[in-house]
Amino acid sequence: MKALFVIPFTTGVVFLFSALAVLYISWFRKIGWKNQVRMKNAVSWRWFIRSLKEVFSESLLHLRIRKVNLRLWYMHMSLATGWFLLIVAGHAESAYHSGTIFTPMSHATFLDYYSRGETPDGWIAEAFNHLMDLLLLFVLSGLMLAVIKRFRARRLGMKKKPRHQTLDRLALIFLWLIFPARLLAESLNHAFYGGGGFLSSALGGLIHPDPGYRFLSDAAWWVYSLSLGAFFVVLPFSRYMHILTEVPHIFLKNAGTRVIADEGIAMFHAHACSSCGICLNTCQLNDAGKAMGQSLNFVRNYRKPWPVKEEQTMNCLMCGRCRIRCPVQVDTAGLRMNERFRHHSGMLHEYSYLEDKRVRVRPARVAYFGGCMTRLTPSIPQAMKKIFMASGEDFAWVDEKESICCGRPLYLSGQLDAFHELIRHTRDRILECGPELIVVSCPICLHTFSQDYPFRIPVKHHSQYLLELMDRQVIRPVRTGIRTVYHDSCELGRGLGIYSEPRRVLEQITHLQNPDFRDGDGMCCGGSLAELELGFPEIQLIARKTIKDLTSPDTQQLVTGCPLCKKTFHAAGLLPVLDISEAVAAALVSVPAEAERSLSSCAVS
Amino acid sequence: MEFGFKLHEDLLVDHDHSLKTYEELLTRVPSLAMCMSCGSCTGTCVAALKTGFGFRKFLVLLRNGSHRELEQALRYCQLCGKCWLVCPRGVNTRKAIIEMKAMYENKSADKIKADPGIKSITQGKAIHVVTQTRTG
């Protein structure tokens, strides 16, 4: 009866594991059949070992955060690894003392209380005492950095720190209390009853209390147990749920499961988010000053049982920078798409007017699809026309007379039914000319074509096509030597992984100032079609910041591969902005006279 | 009571009349107030070319209270965003379209459809009814 103080701890542990069981079972039951098949196919030793390795490297050592900031990494790593090792070493010590590995959890947690007055016998017990103190010191050093981060986030490389909600703050207080309470409890314990490692015995000696105040030792154990118990009770409802959810999340992620339209997997992703705030610092909405929908805030609200507000769901460029930087690889874009589907999926649509048989496209080898955005940047299709003619290509511009959307804006807004209806029309229009190859000028369309359209013929971005022509020496543009910076658009770079082809084209015709690239580092122009909340001035703030970050003072032109990026950057008016096709067309010297005549007579809308 | 002259219905401007639905939309999409009906949006829109309904017309229909027509017209939109990009006043047309669609498809749609809009003034129907009853 003397160890009543373990009751809060035990209650907390029982509550935590019961809540976990209920939540995990409910999420597993929500997993759709497609992901169930993926999971079944993925089960193998290789998958298991790879996932286990990732659990150690990311849930404990947090190696991805190391690339962001060393101090931030040390904070996360020391708290996670230190606490984990404290538990493991505590159990080992408890097993050593009791002679069996089946010791109760409370015995291992409060071992110093149970071994009061016992002098360590042998060097192993002594070593355990010092090890436990060392680990506690390790955790406390991380805790100190966590406190600094809360008040001086910039010291840990965070320009913007997350603002936590009530339950998260409550859990934070309990978490911060646990380790100092443990140190105090052990120190007082050793001060009254002797023993302890280098830290707790030294601190106990410093306190040097009167033997009449022995109840203080018991009180400190109560505080430790209460803080642990309270933390465990709050944990399933706070961001600290990530501590335990990261493990199943990593196994499910490595099994190839997808978040889109699967509420079960989505819940694992949402609860694996630790709200660390790294996504906030990589988000370009910071430049716009309207950032209520940033991933951290969105994912936090996604965890709640009620829908996320429309403004928050739609306030996102969907550029994917947060997803690339996320240390636990939470599919932030997938979660947001799920929420958008929930808001807008069933909206009614009517596209029968697109079945106009008067619009005919003549048969050709290459179908050129400009996309809606090239209607607003007519110099791009004109340049492509010049290149097609110079190379003697048999091409048909399928959306010359009538612009037709690829459906990506509908998809990004969450109108899934309308999207499926529209892609049927667009696909028919493109395939009408019986092409062997589809060349697309708009990365937004290209992304949709390669992901959602059942095309059996290759689809290429015009930069890929241009490189092919130049490699085959069908066209021979001259080198102009203009100092150029290439901008990776989000859809082309992060979306489709096309980084090197445009650069190889530009290296041959200009003086390219950024020939190297780091996967995922590209910046958004701000004019994203996925965003519904920003106004023109805010978009321009992002565009200007991107141009300033990308270019140097001696840059003469900015070249991009996306008509929407071109239009957005052009409005900023900081320097000339060209599409890659325009740069190539301008560098062509030997254009057949027939092509020149045809171009001068063709009217591009 | 007769004063010997009639109200000319086409010249009536009723400033007391509120455009509830339009104003509600305005609170969600404040940039709508910037629209000067230049028609750039309609000029660039493929749905407008084919069906005759562009963004400018959406606003006219909304103000007029032609809810049935507007509800149908909104279904033609492909949400491609050309209207948003060409707008010289920076009106967030895509958000307005999504909001209008949501308005007609949510639970309180019947209430919105009951809003007579400005039609009652331009066509003089409401006032006409009142004058008729007064004159007997």
Side-chain angles (χ1 to χ4, degrees), chain A residues 313-458:
Chain A
T313 312
M314 305 312 278
N315 179 211
C316 175
L317 300 162
M318 298 283 264
C319 63
R321 282 167 66 88
C322 53
R323 187 168 54 172
I324 294 279
R325 289 288 171 88
C326 179
V328 270
Q329 296 187 328
V330 172
D331 187 358
T332 47
L335 291 177
R336 198 179 293 270
M337 280 318 302
N338 280 355
E339 194 61 28
R340 289 184 177 194
F341 293 150
R342 206 170 296 154
H343 279 287
H344 302 138
S345 187
M347 281 185 167
L348 299 169
H349 55 274
E350 169 72 64
Y351 299 131
S352 54
Y353 63 88
L354 290 172
E355 287 169 2
D356 188 351
K357 297 294 175 201
R358 282 172 301 176
V359 184
R360 284 274 170 213
V361 185
R362 65 172 186 82
R365 193 189 84 82
V366 173
Y368 171 65
F369 187 83
C372 301
M373 292 307 134
T374 53
R375 310 293 288 187
L376 308 177
T377 49
S379 51
I380 297 174
Q382 200 161 15
M384 278 309 290
K385 226 170 172 174
K386 185 176 174 184
I387 292 161
F388 278 131
M389 286 180 171
S391 60
E393 184 64 88
D394 173 27
F395 79 102
W397 182 4
V398 287
D399 57 343
E400 180 176 14
K401 292 197 178 106
E402 189 178 289
S403 153
I404 183 165
C405 181
C406 66
R408 183 121 181 113
L410 282 172
Y411 177 83
L412 288 171
S413 76
Q415 298 184 60
L416 210 52
D417 296 345
F419 167 67
H420 287 302
E421 169 74 12
L422 191 65
I423 64 175
R424 192 172 62 80
H425 291 286
T426 312
R427 190 191 62 218
D428 291 350
R429 186 72 60 86
I430 293 170
L431 295 181
E432 200 181 317
C433 64
E436 294 168 24
L437 171 71
I438 302 169
V439 175
V440 186
S441 272
C442 176
I444 305 165
C445 306
L446 184 71
H447 198 171
T448 325
F449 290 164
S450 44
Q451 271 190 355
D452 303 297
Y453 280 59
F455 282 138
R456 288 183 184 161
I457 45 173

Side-chain angles (χ1 to χ4, degrees), chain A residues 380-598:
Chain A
I380 297 174
Q382 200 161 15
M384 278 309 290
K385 226 170 172 174
K386 185 176 174 184
I387 292 161
F388 278 131
M389 286 180 171
S391 60
E393 184 64 88
D394 173 27
F395 79 102
W397 182 4
V398 287
D399 57 343
E400 180 176 14
K401 292 197 178 106
E402 189 178 289
S403 153
I404 183 165
C405 181
C406 66
R408 183 121 181 113
L410 282 172
Y411 177 83
L412 288 171
S413 76
Q415 298 184 60
L416 210 52
D417 296 345
F419 167 67
H420 287 302
E421 169 74 12
L422 191 65
I423 64 175
R424 192 172 62 80
H425 291 286
T426 312
R427 190 191 62 218
D428 291 350
R429 186 72 60 86
I430 293 170
L431 295 181
E432 200 181 317
C433 64
E436 294 168 24
L437 171 71
I438 302 169
V439 175
V440 186
S441 272
C442 176
I444 305 165
C445 306
L446 184 71
H447 198 171
T448 325
F449 290 164
S450 44
Q451 271 190 355
D452 303 297
Y453 280 59
F455 282 138
R456 288 183 184 161
I457 45 173
V459 186
K460 283 184 179 171
H461 184 243
H462 65 242
S463 62
Q464 293 172 308
Y465 178 73
L466 290 173
L467 181 68
E468 199 185 296
L469 290 183
M470 284 159 72
D471 283 349
R472 280 170 36 215
Q473 299 204 329
V474 177
I475 52 169
R476 291 175 190 176
V478 292
R479 192 180 166 82
T480 56
I482 299 172
R483 289 185 295 277
T484 305
V485 164
Y486 175 68
H487 164 255
D488 291 293
S489 73
C490 301
E491 302 274 12
L492 205 58
R494 268 184 300 274
L496 295 160
I498 300 172
Y499 290 102
S500 61
E501 290 93 332
R503 283 186 166 80
R504 281 176 59 199
V505 169
L506 288 173
E507 271 176 340
Q508 292 183 45
I509 56 171
T510 61
H511 169 56
L512 189 63
Q513 291 183 310
N514 60 341
D516 304 318
F517 64 93
R518 260 174 52 192
D519 189 14
D521 252 8
M523 295 179 80
C524 182
C525 65
S528 168
L529 286 170
E531 161 62 50
L532 275 185
E533 297 294 326
L534 295 187
F536 182 73
E538 288 129 11
I539 290 171
Q540 279 305 302
L541 287 173
I542 300 177
R544 282 168 175 267
K545 180 76 171 47
T546 301
I547 293 177
K548 279 180 186 165
D549 283 2
L550 282 176
T551 56
S552 53
D554 65 342
T555 306
Q556 288 175 307
Q557 65 180 13
L558 182 68
V559 173
T560 179
C562 172
L564 182 54
C565 296
K566 187 197 159 186
K567 188 161 169 57
T568 315
F569 286 139
H570 182 75
L574 293 179
L575 79 170
V577 188
L578 260 71
D579 185 83
I580 190 163
S581 58
E582 291 174 82
V584 173
L588 284 180
V589 281
S590 54
V591 180
E594 185 194 340
E596 282 289 2
R597 269 200 306 280
S598 171

